[in-house]
Amino acid sequence: MKALKIAGAAIVAVIVIIALTLAIGIPSGFLTTEIAARVERETGYKLTINGGARIGLWPSLNITLNDVTLQNPKDSDINRRFAAASIEADVTLASLWAGKPHITELVIIRPVVNLPLRRERVRDAASSPKPAAGKTSEAVSIDHISVSGGTVVLSNLRDRVENRIETVNVDIVIDADRKVTVSGNARKNGNPLKFELKAALPAPPLERQNIPAEIKIDAPGLLEAQLTAKAEARLNGPVVMINSVTGALGEAAFNGWASFDLSSKPLVKLDLDFQKLALASSSSGNTSGQPWSNATIDNNGLNYIDIQARISAAELSIGEARFARAAIDATLASGVLKARVANLGAYEGSASGDLTVDVSAATPTYAMGVDLTGVRALPLLHGLADFDRLDGRMQARISVLSSGTSQRAIMSNMAGTAFIVFQDGAIKGLNVAQMIRSLTARPLSGWQESEEKATDLSQLSASFKIDKGQAQTTDLNLVGPLVKMTGVGTIALDTKQIGFRVEPKLVLTTEGQGRANDPVGLGIPVMIEGPWGNPRIYPEMQGILDNPEAAYAKLKEMGKGLFGEQGAGLGAAIGSLLGGQPGTTGGQGAAGGQPPANNPLGGQLGETIGNLLQQGLSGFGQGGGGQSPGQGRARPGGQRSLVGPNPPEQDPAQAAPSEPAAPMPPGDTTAQQDSQPMNEVLRQLFNR
């Protein structure tokens, strides 16, 4: 009996031990050496298990490896390695007895993949470290792989550069027909990334066999729209070739081919043709009043990839701008990006341009050249920069270079030349003639913009020499049917300021700029200074900004108002406008004061307009509403002459008027009121 009791106790103890073993697993530190040796023998990589291993028998055979690192022992680059907090594998017992492990579930917790960023490609392929060839793909099969909380670290220790793709979660399913589905998500610089890949794997070996694949990528921080594509992939050592590509970027369908050489520094080659390609514009609305940003532009990543690309499109859109057939050739090597587009169809004209960006040094440099010929300015400028104030045929040649790490630095270091001309168009929202008239009474603040205003122009041109962000011109020229302006000045590209000195003139005949008589001008240059979105505009007179009233009183006393001394230029212009002989008022060029037979606007109408102009300009010249001495003297034929304030003494008999002087309007005390008749007539003449 005693022996039976001892035997029973022993059996119970064995059962308890077995139960505990099934529940908590077998500590198997003694197996880690064998596991590491098997991995290195099969793959060529060295496996280090720092946290030990554990084998569980219930509910299935389960192997757990803790604190694992994996690295090629022949690779001297410490940045190329794999680590994980733990790796768990569920294995069928039958596959172990057969010598071909079948893993039903492989779970990788918090893996970290470190990959180097290289500035130069390894020319000798033999020098690139490679793992030993193995038979893992034949000896081991896997049904499902799950990765959670992963991180991909791309770094270059010499450059002190590190980029991370974090919170990587991947789910991989491989069915019995070797069809693979890979789906997952991650975050890059706070931006979400989602991806899905489907492929049909052929029987091993996979080398040089076509692998049909489908891919879908959502990356709002990287791509403007969802990318979907179908292709056939082929592995050729470290080179992945992708042929027969068809897909779409959003609604933009494309086709072509690509290849990726991953032997050292990645080399990407691609040729894609789009039906419609839409690119985002850098314009963010009207930001003329906002300073340039000092935020660092991070384009250092261009140092660690080489690209040879050709992108073509039947229709190209940049922001709201639309272009016809486009072909862009681009190369990126050793941190230097070169892109060129030629003969781009652009709004009934053509455009060509090239861009070079060199980020190989600490401070990036930029160079750009643009040629525009016969392009309609309004839709182009509105689409690219949300600027809709200029219309006409546009020609431009721009060649600039700069350097800097921010918008402000790039604009401050700008240098080069630019020539721009607009023909047969208009300045929208501005009435230059009205602005010139307004300057006779007060300085202006801003451009006096209004949707109802416009200034027709025959030509607007200027050439600029740019140095250290200062664009200077000496040949600004605006020619329109009713206005002419020349000037010199500087545009400060870095601070968005302008400083111009212009000479405005008005043309007051229907013959326009081609007539024999010169246009009449303000007589004093006009200054345009301040922010280019809202400058101050005022006549160049000493003290005009300190004491505007005194300065304008002096302007009136000088008798050099808008249309020359005492309005003589205006009288001649109006006479010509009404069809009379040059140099006459009211259009009365016929003998005896009779209007020509073919002049419906002559006679009494012309004389009335002349009287109104005489009264308005006389008040302007005197600074008040009183009648100036000598005013109202009559010429034979009923014509009136506008005489200066101090006429020479004449014989009383000769000075007797041939007819009574026209009554004058009551005197006013302000410049705005005393020039009201003139303004009213001009408004009717110009219809503005």
Side-chain angles (χ1 to χ4, degrees), residues 627-659:
Q627 183 176 357
S628 61
Q631 192 169 15
R633 300 177 185 271
R635 294 183 180 181
Q639 293 180 328
R640 298 183 180 274
S641 61
L642 298 178
V643 186
N646 296 307
E649 294 184 0
Q650 299 180 9
D651 185 81
Q654 297 177 351
S658 59
E659 63 183 41

Side-chain angles (χ1 to χ4, degrees), residues 11-266:
I11 293 172
V12 172
V14 170
I15 293 174
V16 170
I17 292 173
I18 293 175
L20 290 174
T21 300
L22 293 175
I24 65 176
I26 302 174
S28 52
F30 63 92
L31 295 177
T32 57
T33 302
E34 180 61 26
I35 293 174
R38 176 68 181 270
V39 170
E40 186 169 0
R41 186 167 59 250
E42 294 289 345
T43 67
Y45 285 90
K46 182 180 180 180
L47 176 66
T48 302
I49 305 172
N50 299 311
R54 183 177 65 85
I55 298 177
L57 302 176
W58 184 265
S60 62
L61 178 61
N62 176 272
I63 301 174
T64 301
L65 308 178
N66 296 308
D67 193 5
V68 177
T69 61
L70 188 68
Q71 188 174 11
N72 185 356
K74 298 180 180 180
D75 192 349
S76 59
D77 195 335
I78 63 174
N79 290 337
R80 190 198 303 270
R81 67 188 184 92
F82 170 87
S86 66
I87 299 177
E88 301 178 12
D90 290 340
V91 186
T92 61
L93 289 173
S95 65
L96 288 179
W97 294 121
K100 293 182 178 180
H102 176 69
I103 300 176
T104 58
E105 186 82 17
L106 180 63
V107 179
I108 304 175
I109 306 298
R110 296 194 301 278
V112 178
V113 180
N114 289 270
L115 297 175
L117 293 174
R118 302 182 185 273
R119 277 183 173 265
E120 301 295 336
R121 292 183 53 78
V122 178
R123 301 299 179 184
D124 186 3
S127 64
S128 180
K130 297 180 181 179
K135 302 179 181 180
T136 304
S137 60
E138 299 179 4
V140 179
S141 60
I142 304 175
D143 291 342
H144 181 246
I145 302 174
S146 174
V147 178
S148 61
T151 302
V152 179
V153 181
L154 306 170
S155 61
N156 185 299
L157 296 181
R158 188 188 67 177
D159 296 344
R160 297 182 179 179
V161 172
E162 182 178 282
N163 294 319
R164 288 174 170 262
I165 303 174
E166 299 178 315
T167 61
V168 179
N169 301 299
V170 181
D171 189 81
I172 304 174
V173 177
I174 307 172
D175 64 17
D177 296 329
R178 302 181 62 84
K179 292 182 179 180
V180 180
T181 301
V182 181
S183 60
N185 58 78
R187 299 191 74 83
K188 174 69 169 64
N189 295 332
N191 297 313
L193 168 67
K194 292 183 179 181
F195 55 89
E196 183 179 61
L197 171 66
K198 295 181 179 180
L201 299 179
L206 301 180
E207 188 86 0
R208 299 181 182 276
Q209 293 197 65
N210 288 337
I211 304 174
E214 300 179 16
I215 191 171
K216 181 186 299 183
I217 298 176
D218 284 308
L222 179 64
L223 301 175
E224 294 297 325
Q226 184 185 74
L227 172 66
T228 58
K230 295 181 179 180
E232 290 186 351
R234 175 178 291 191
L235 303 179
N236 184 10
V239 179
V240 181
M241 296 177 291
I242 303 177
N243 300 312
S244 304
V245 177
T246 60
L249 181 60
E251 298 181 355
F254 64 86
N255 60 76
W257 61 268
S259 70
F260 302 87
D261 185 348
L262 306 177
S263 59
S264 58
K265 180 182 180 180

Side-chain angles (χ1 to χ4, degrees), residues 339-405:
R340 177 168 180 79
V341 59
N343 299 322
L344 175 65
Y347 295 103
E348 304 176 16
S350 62
S352 299
D354 56 81
L355 172 68
T356 300
V357 180
D358 186 350
V359 299
S360 59
T363 301
T365 60
Y366 306 85
M368 182 182 68
V370 176
D371 285 319
L372 301 176
T373 304
V375 177
R376 286 189 57 207
L378 184 63
L380 177 68
L381 296 177
H382 177 70
L384 290 178
D386 197 24
F387 181 79
D388 56 1
R389 295 305 186 188
L390 279 173
D391 196 9
R393 293 290 176 179
M394 177 182 178
Q395 296 189 39
R397 176 166 294 178
I398 302 172
S399 178
V400 294
L401 54 88
S402 186
S403 62
T405 58

